[in-house]
Amino acid sequence: MTTTQAPPQLRRVLFIGTPAAFVETERWLAAQGLESTRTLGDDLLVAIATEDVLDGICSATDAAAVQHVRALGVPCVGVAPAAPVLPLAEYLF
């Protein structure tokens, strides 16, 4: 008899861009029981990028990260300093 394990629940949120832009968002994610990361992987719930990254004003590494998450079909949303968690609501709840 074989048993089938349920796939792991996606709980990791990838940050792409300047780390200082994510301080409040990281605190909020931790309070929600989510793990923030800067490492690419296939187990991502959502990716959050700074406005510069989404506008293409970024390093080659950041641009490659955006391409990777889009290829995986992972949503990539921008974070605004005035409302750092607002865009996440539709992806997390």
Side-chain angles (χ1 to χ4, degrees), residues 16-17 50 52-64 66:
I16 307 169
T50 60
D52 286 346
V53 170
L54 294 178
D55 289 342
I57 305 167
C58 59
S59 68
T61 302
D62 288 345
V66 171

Side-chain angles (χ1 to χ4, degrees), residues 62-77:
D62 288 345
V66 171
Q67 289 178 345
H68 180 84
V69 297
R70 287 184 175 157
L72 291 173
V74 173
C76 185
V77 298

Side-chain angles (χ1 to χ4, degrees), residues 75-89:
C76 185
V77 298
V79 63
V85 297
L86 191 58
L88 297 175

Side-chain angles (χ1 to χ4, degrees), residues 7-14 35 37-47 64-75:
Q9 187 176 9
L10 302 177
R11 306 294 296 169
R12 291 179 3 119
V13 177
L14 175 69
E35 177 187 348
T37 184
R38 292 192 190 348
T39 305
L40 288 172
D42 296 338
D43 60 344
L44 301 171
L45 176 64
V46 66
V66 171
Q67 289 178 345
H68 180 84
V69 297
R70 287 184 175 157
L72 291 173
V74 173

